[in-house]
Each structure stands twice: as structure tokens, then as C-alpha cells.
Amino acid sequence: MLNEKVALITGSTSGIGLATAHVLAAQGINLVLHGLMSLSEGRQLADKFSQQYGIDVLFDNADLRDVDSIERFIQLATEKMGSIDILINNAGIQHTESAENFPLDKWNAIIAINLSAAFHAIQYSLPSMKRKSWGRIINVASVHGLVGSVNKSAYCAAKHGLIGLTKVLALECAEQGITVNAICPGWVDTPLINDQISTIAEQQNVPFEQAKYQLVTAKQPLPEMMAPEQIGEFILFLCSDSARSITGSALPMDGAWTAQ
Ligand code: NAD
């Protein structure tokens, strides 16, 4: 059923996005890969996917802080691939600091990349989904879209906002065959959290792996990090026909973090 659909995954040069790209490609889903790397590196990555899975793959390195670049990126991708059927708003950044001392440029970048870019990408992709009366929009939020943590004002504001956006779009698309959901992961083993692990390792003078364990268990009862592929498999399920009635949901995959 998903064979030959087109999925656009923002931030798919690393971590959760890259792992999700592999999971979807293995089902024959064509891909628009995206992230911050040079066009030549990106094209190499796209060629690798194309050869490994026998699918059509496009790469773009639009900076998600720039609305015009997002518009150009999505329009070009829709033209070249014929449609965008699955949109995965995954790109994100993190910065930790007390709200009182939070740098303005970091606040602006987190809101732009983690929240506003998802809104713009949805706006530019919806016409293509509506033409086919079928679509899947999956916003990679976080447990921090459901609860707060100290030193994460911008990240929590953006992720809570992303869940609000998800609910509104689900209502607006309910009769169009388009589902809209947010996934709320706990700790996932990707480069995004390396700074937080390094800070613990330095402050407590412990090895990186021990610091990682401490970071996970401070909030998450299940004492292990998730593999990014697990998020990819969850996203694949949300794309399936079995999941067609799941829409407007903020779905935790968080080792019981938000059960407390
Ligand atoms: P990552 O750092 O491995 O990947 C981030 C991706 O975003 C990269 O492809 C990067 O190029 C892209 N990106 C960053 N800034 C960009 C910009 N200005 N323009 C375009 N692309 C940009 O991170 P990850 O952990 O895989 O995170 C993916 C998503 O998952 C994020 O939204 C993050 O908030 C969310 N998340 C991560 C965790 C975790 O523990 N790692 C937990 C919950 C939610």
C-alpha cells in the first residue's frame, strides 16, 4: 500500500530522521532526504539510498530558519517527485540554559526549526495531499511537548506548540484522508543529546557511558535509550492503513517517563 508513495523527512541526514529514512525505504517508499550537509554529500547519500533500495531519492539542504528556502524546497520536491504523500517534520535542535539567561538567538532558532518550519512545510505540502485525498503528517515532538524540564524553555515551548499545531491540522484534515499525529519520544540515542551527556560527564567527572545512563534514568523509568530505528518503525505504522483512524494524537514512546 505504501509502495511508491513519496515521503519527505526533514532532518534526515542524522539520528531519528536518517533511521526513519532507512525503515521507509525498505518498504519501497520514495524519499526526499533533507538536512544540513553540502549538496555533494547529500547527493551521495541520496545515491546510496537509491542503489540500496531501488527507489527514487532527492536531497535538499534548505535551512529551515528561512521561510523562502522552505517554500522553494517543498515546491521543487513536489514538482520533481510528483507529490508529497507523507510529511515527517523531524528536524530539531536543542539548547539548555535557564530561561533567565537563555540567548535570544537560540530561542529564535529553536522556535523557527522545531515549530515554525513544521507549520510552513505543512502549508506547502497540503495541496499535494489534498489532490490525492490521502496523506500522512507526522510531527516528531518529544516528551517535552507534554511535560517541562528545567533549562529547556525554548525546546518545551516549541514542542508543546507542535502538539497544538498537530491537533488543529488533524481537525482541519479529518475529512480529507489525511492523518496528522505527533510522536513524543523520551531519550533516543542520537547526536542531539551529546552536549547534555558531555556536561554531566564533565560536571561529575564520570565516563561518557555512565553519564549517558545517569541522564536516561534521571527522568525515564525504563533505563535505556531508544534506538532511532524504533521511532522509524512507529512512524511506518502511522503511515499504514491500519492507523488511518489515529489522528490528532500526541503519542508517547517514552519508557514510562510521562506515566509518573
Ligand atoms: P540529530 O541532531 O541527530 O538530527 C537533527 C537533524 O536536523 C539533522 O539532519 C540536521 O541537519 C537537521 N537540522 C538541524 N538544524 C537545521 C536547520 N537549521 N535547517 C535544516 N535542518 C536542520 O537529532 P535527532 O535526535 O535525530 O532529532 C530529531 C528530532 O527528534 C528532533 O525534532 C528532536 O527534537 C526530536 N527528539 C529527539 C530526542 C532524542 O533524545 N534524541 C527525543 C525526543 C525528540
Side-chain angles (χ1 to χ4, degrees), residues 153-171:
S153 52
Y155 191 81
C156 288
K159 296 298 189 182
H160 276 72
L162 190 56
I163 290 175
L165 179 68
T166 302
K167 291 175 181 171
V168 172
L169 262 298
L171 297 173

Side-chain angles (χ1 to χ4, degrees), residues 58-76:
L58 201 71
F59 172 79
D60 200 293
N61 61 0
D63 188 327
L64 297 182
R65 288 169 296 185
D66 179 49
V67 185
D68 292 341
S69 298
I70 301 173
E71 183 177 16
R72 177 203 54 74
F73 162 41
I74 308 263
Q75 283 180 353
L76 200 75

Side-chain angles (χ1 to χ4, degrees), residues 137-151:
I137 298 172
I138 294 148
N139 297 319
V140 181
S142 164
V143 282
H144 287 115
L146 300 169
V147 296
S149 283
V150 291
N151 295 335

Side-chain angles (χ1 to χ4, degrees), residues 77-148:
T78 311
E79 252 172 62
K80 288 199 172 167
M81 302 297 276
S83 63
I84 304 297
D85 307 306
I86 298 165
L87 170 66
I88 302 168
N89 286 307
N90 165 74
I93 58 167
Q94 175 63 287
H95 179 80
T96 55
E97 176 69 270
S98 67
E100 197 178 1
N101 298 318
F102 211 88
L104 180 61
D105 61 332
K106 297 283 185 199
W107 170 274
N108 287 336
I110 290 176
I111 298 299
I113 297 164
N114 297 19
L115 175 58
S116 301
F119 167 72
H120 300 305
I122 289 169
Q123 217 176 34
Y124 300 132
S125 305
L126 266 182
S128 167
M129 295 182 190
K130 286 192 173 172
R131 270 196 296 278
K132 288 190 172 178
S133 300
W134 193 94
R136 295 286 187 267
I137 298 172
I138 294 148
N139 297 319
V140 181
S142 164
V143 282
H144 287 115
L146 300 169
V147 296

